[in-house]
Amino acid sequence: MNRKILKAVGEYYTDKVLKHGNTSLGVDWNSKESQYLRFEQLCKVIKTSEPFSILDYGCGYAELINYLASTCPQTTHTYLGYDVSEKMIEEAEKLFGDKKYASFCSVLPVKVMDYIVASGIFNVKLDLAEQEEWLQYILETLGTFDRLSLKGFSFNALTLYSDADKMKDYLYYADPLFLFDYCKKNFSRNVALLHDYELYEFTIIVRK
Ligand SMILES: C[S@@+](CC[C@H](N)C(=O)[O-])C[C@H]1O[C@@H](n2cnc3c(N)ncnc32)[C@H](O)[C@@H]1O
């Protein structure tokens, strides 16, 4: 994993959480509604009728814990939140440190979980990389998701189909068709592309 990218992205999000605290703005989302709409898409990978373990990759302050508690309260699960920003992990510990089924870390553990979900980790490119280099970074990260997940993974990205006048230089807009094709060819025959939920982004679900 590119250390320069990780360090700069971590600093970007640390600034956000220092400024806005453990709120949707603190993880750079516009609203809690959009944050939850993303969770709704990503969690379609989970079979909630049976117990599961989940790695929340780029967990922020771990709001996904609240989402899972409200949407599948009956299903036993273990939650591992990983974020490159230590400040985010501190916030997650503060909010959810008392939950026995949850743990947090700022260094990626080499541990296989049933599912991996990643919301918002591919968006903020800053001036850290050229387009091609950032794409390689995404593909390398997807390879990690594949290695560390047993039943499936899901992630989102900003879409290349965004309105041109709304696109910003420091963000990365991915080609959903390319990533769908890449996941189909490299990870599983069962891949879904969700691009119908009113945000300038898409979600890919990979079921293994
Ligand atoms: C847009 S925020 C979303 C946080 C959380 N997923 C949510 O939706 O509430 C993205 C988070 O991912 C973290 N992040 C970005 N790239 C990462 C990487 N490669 N490894 C670990 N964490 C990363 C950032 O520090 C930030 O906290």
Side-chain angles (χ1 to χ4, degrees):
M1 185 74 62
N2 189 320
R3 281 203 202 149
K4 178 187 78 176
I5 291 180
L6 272 188
K7 185 168 180 293
V9 168
E11 286 168 2
Y12 175 92
Y13 282 102
T14 294
D15 281 353
K16 295 287 166 194
V17 73
L18 284 173
K19 197 160 166 201
H20 302 288
N22 50 37
T23 63
S24 49
L25 287 182
V27 281
D28 215 17
W29 295 135
N30 289 334
S31 66
K32 187 168 175 182
E33 286 69 35
S34 73
Q35 185 181 25
Y36 271 53
L37 184 54
R38 294 179 177 97
F39 291 155
E40 190 184 328
Q41 311 308 317
L42 291 160
C43 289
K44 288 177 181 167
V45 72
I46 304 171
K47 196 171 172 191
T48 53
S49 55
E50 54 191 42
F52 62 90
S53 59
I54 185 165
L55 169 62
D56 185 3
Y57 196 113
C59 63
Y61 60 91
E63 182 63 25
L64 184 66
I65 289 183
N66 281 335
Y67 177 82
L68 289 172
S70 62
T71 51
C72 51
Q74 318 293 4
T75 318
T76 311
H77 55 274
T78 52
Y79 171 99
L80 175 58
Y82 157 60
D83 202 288
V84 67
S85 160
E86 286 177 17
K87 182 68 191 154
M88 287 291 182
I89 293 300
E90 242 176 64
E91 290 298 320
E93 291 274 10
K94 209 156 71 187
L95 290 170
F96 304 108
D98 63 333
K99 306 240 178 276
K100 288 211 169 57
Y101 64 86
S103 53
F104 310 95
C105 54
S106 58
V107 176
L108 181 65
V110 184
K111 188 172 176 188
V112 175
M113 306 287 277
D114 289 329
Y115 302 106
I116 297 179
V117 298
S119 189
I121 71 165
F122 298 133
N123 301 348
V124 174
K125 183 174 82 58
L126 308 173
D127 57 359
L128 293 167
E130 297 301 327
Q131 298 288 324
E132 184 53 33
E133 196 189 343
W134 193 262
L135 177 60
Q136 287 312 313
Y137 164 65
I138 294 179
L139 300 184
E140 194 186 311
T141 308
L142 297 184
T144 304
F145 292 174
D146 185 47
R147 277 196 305 283
L148 297 183
S149 67
L150 199 61
K151 297 183 177 169
F153 62 88
S154 57
F155 62 94
N156 54 30
L158 297 172
T159 179
L160 207 50
Y161 292 84
S162 299
D163 297 341
D165 59 331
K166 298 227 167 58
M167 290 164 95
K168 300 195 173 99
D169 285 349
Y170 71 99
L171 298 176
Y172 181 80
Y173 297 86
D175 179 349
L177 304 183
F178 173 83
L179 287 177
F180 173 80
D181 184 61
Y182 185 87
C183 289
K184 267 278 205 196
K185 287 178 177 157
N186 290 279
F187 304 131
S188 174
R189 294 164 67 177
N190 298 315
V191 178
L193 168 60
L194 311 176
H195 205 327
D196 62 347
Y197 55 98
E198 296 295 340
L199 299 177
Y200 288 102
E201 62 175 53
F202 60 93
T203 295
I204 288 185
I205 308 273
V206 178
R207 270 179 227 291
K208 302 213 220 160

